[in-house]
Amino acid sequence: MRLLEQRIITDGIIGENDVLKVGTFLNQQIDVELMSACADEFCRLFKDAGITKVLTVEASGIAIAAITALRLGVQLVFAKKSVTSNVAGAVYSADAYSFTHNHNNTLIVPCAYLGQSDKVLIIDDFLARGEAVNALLDICESAGAVAAGVGILIEKAYQGGGEKIKKRGVRLESLARIASLDVKNGITFEN
Ligand code: G4P
């Protein structure tokens, strides 16, 4: 998606350890107009997939997932990374090791929020090695829900996450696919 790619070029900062910093429009300050345009695109791509629920993981995925859910006219569920006093009853859980943050997260979704009748669209801001999305797919499986697709804003296409998802037979749509991230040569995209 041209608009998102252009914003990554103008605002993205290449940090250490292959991390792309996009705090000005995605990870801390959120450009809601840009997110709205991205949600429209996810809606166009998945409007015929019979989605009944959007699923993401806290924190940065929530904004784009919420606008997408609004457009699709369905509820949004987000996985928490720890049990809090607000989480009651039985839960589905799956582990996701974050290479970016170098620690393990146990993703948790109450069983009441996901079930066999659901067709789920997983939305997230980034796809790198795919640990987080893989864990969300595990949770859908545990719930007996159908994972109808995965929508990603920024995929670092060279880190293998996309292959993992496709191997599981799940449709993947990424709005910007980064082919390389290099302080010297900048950011390049692939289709
Ligand atoms: P990983 O293998 O690098 O850990 O990536 P994975 O696809 O499992 O995503 C794990 C987390 O890392 C996600 O955030 C994802 O948004 C973030 N992430 C991965 N690569 C980058 C990057 O280059 N830039 C930025 N800004 N984020 C990246 P999370 O752990 O769920 O944290 P949160 O930011 O959503 O709170």
Side-chain angles (χ1 to χ4, degrees):
M1 185 182 169
R2 206 78 194 109
L3 193 66
L4 179 60
E5 288 181 357
Q6 275 165 356
R7 192 58 182 274
I8 293 167
I9 294 288
T10 53
D11 281 32
I13 296 167
I14 301 169
E16 281 174 14
N17 302 323
D18 220 23
V19 171
L20 175 67
K21 294 180 192 259
V22 287
T24 58
F25 66 92
L26 183 55
N27 282 146
Q28 188 135 26
Q29 176 170 260
I30 296 173
D31 183 334
V32 288
E33 247 179 60
L34 177 63
M35 292 304 110
S36 176
C38 292
D40 283 344
E41 182 61 5
F42 284 138
C43 198
R44 186 186 70 76
L45 290 164
F46 289 104
K47 68 178 185 317
D48 299 323
I51 303 298
T52 64
K53 222 155 252 185
V54 171
L55 177 66
T56 191
V57 52
E58 65 176 352
S60 306
I62 294 177
I64 179 60
I67 305 172
T68 304
L70 180 67
R71 294 283 193 280
L72 290 169
V74 299
Q75 299 289 326
L76 161 68
V77 176
F78 69 88
K80 294 204 177 207
K81 289 177 182 162
S82 57
V83 179
T84 68
S85 54
N86 285 334
V87 178
V91 297
Y92 301 115
S93 69
D95 286 342
Y97 183 79
S98 171
F99 288 91
T100 308
H101 300 118
N102 201 19
H103 64 76
N104 192 66
N105 290 309
T106 301
L107 307 192
I108 294 154
V109 173
C111 297
Y113 301 153
L114 217 51
Q116 286 178 358
S117 58
D118 280 317
K119 278 188 111 177
V120 177
L121 173 61
I122 293 172
I123 294 283
D124 211 355
D125 56 337
F126 267 89
L127 177 66
R129 291 176 180 83
E131 285 274 311
V133 170
N134 235 344
L136 293 176
L137 287 170
D138 289 343
I139 285 173
C140 287
E141 240 173 58
S142 302
V146 173
V150 174
I152 297 291
L153 290 178
I154 305 175
E155 177 183 354
K156 292 195 285 184
Y158 55 92
Q159 289 197 318
E163 277 71 45
K164 275 189 207 161
I165 294 165
K166 286 179 202 151
K167 249 188 209 159
R168 293 183 71 152
V170 180
R171 176 182 170 196
L172 170 65
E173 300 283 357
S174 301
L175 302 192
R177 300 188 75 234
I178 293 178
S180 64
L181 205 58
D182 187 271
V183 180
K184 250 193 198 160
N185 303 314
I187 302 164
T188 61
F189 296 96
E190 65 183 47
N191 292 323

